[in-house]
Amino acid sequence: MKTKNFYCLIALAAAGIGLSQKAEAQETVYTDQAVTVTEFTCDNSNKYFSNWRQNWFLQFGAGVDQPLVEHGVGMKAPTHTIDKKMMTAVYNVGVGRWISPYLGLRLNALGGTLHWDNPVLESPARGWTHANHVQLNLELMWDMCNSIAGVNPERPVSVIPFIGLGGDYLWDVNDSFGNPADATNISRRNINKPRTTNWSLPVTAGIQFRFRLCKYVDFFAEARASFYGDNWNLCATGDPIESNVQAVGGFNINFGGRGWDTYNECAYLSQIASLNGQVNDLRAELLNAGQAVAALEAQLPCPEPKVVNNAAVQKDCVNAPLMTTVRFTIDSAEILPTEQVNVYNMAEWLKANPEEKINIVGYADKDTGTSEYNLQLSERRANAVADALVNDYGIDRSRLNIKYDGSSVQPYSTNDWNRIVIFTQK
């Protein structure tokens, strides 16, 4: 996520805490209980992430092949050593992505012609066997410099070991005279329908040196070796493991550049502490306001006794509220969380005085909107408050008289105060 999204999540969490504490305050008597802030522990290390479109790369290059086969078999030119005469060209193309600053995956293809000594062939063919091959590997890459020296997308040189597993297809295995070479026979005289193709599953390992040219282009040079079973080149003699070493150089094209976004959990502790402080301040203001309202309501006279069947009936003395209001933002009929307390207080009064009815009068600010639009807006505001009393608190709708005056009546001299609904006794 982006840093701004993380801030938003923190703010929403703090707002949720504040609202839940408001609700608890309305259900119980106002107290001086302090808000408890949960301790927050964090991992003081950078976390790295990137968009899935970033850190892809396409590589292409070329180099040399040198097969090391038939180890331990006596021959004129031992092929278990590097022999310049046996080196051939190899071509490379690959695609991959760095899934973190430390690890990447690469699908890598290499192919070309191979030359080697084949001891099972008789002279004059001995010493010159050739074939074509193509190899496809899935390789895991490790950025050793980022892991040891810290993440730096602009590091000029990186050292990247890798390992992989894949498949190798060998075909057109022939000696220098174009005769097929077969692994199951010691002499061409005994060959019957010889094989000239072979599939193998090599294990690959190597190391790459990457040189940063710019944000989007790198030069790379890598040394790699693939290890096969003895039958890889259709000649099963000598040691059971054969290998093919390669040196390859080329270019990486980095799509979307190479880089990482970071965040640190501990960097937000001060913001969390500030938000918790704001929650505490709002809780204190709510407590003081509740106590002030309670003190003012205690000063109101009790309702006059009602006459029923020529007898005066005195109800329990439940003080009526002061003129309660619900304020709205510009061009809105949605009740704000901060105004829910006023709807709640009116619902509690109506429950305590089941025979009372009230007017719910909606208004709009005359400085914004036309008279016709403001009349509709004030109607929506009055209905929103009535719906909240009925649906959220179970008040009988017959006790509510909905009125709306639009902007033709302005209860307050400050115009933007008139985005309001006012309760009055009917």
Side-chain angles (χ1 to χ4, degrees), residues 243-297:
S243 61
N244 182 32
V245 296
Q246 298 162 324
V248 180
F251 297 93
N252 286 336
I253 307 300
N254 303 308
F255 294 100
R258 190 174 70 241
W260 304 91
D261 295 320
T262 64
Y263 73 92
N264 187 313
E265 292 178 351
C266 295
Y268 301 100
L269 282 177
S270 60
Q271 285 82 3
I272 293 174
S274 175
L275 291 170
N276 282 324
Q278 294 178 36
V279 171
N280 290 337
D281 292 342
L282 291 172
R283 176 68 180 272
E285 291 177 12
L286 179 62
L287 177 65
N288 293 334
Q291 292 173 342
V293 169
L296 290 171
E297 289 180 347

Side-chain angles (χ1 to χ4, degrees), residues 174-189:
N174 293 287
D175 63 23
S176 58
F177 297 96
N179 300 307
D182 193 292
T184 62
N185 295 279
I186 300 302
S187 172
R188 289 198 312 276
R189 292 171 297 184

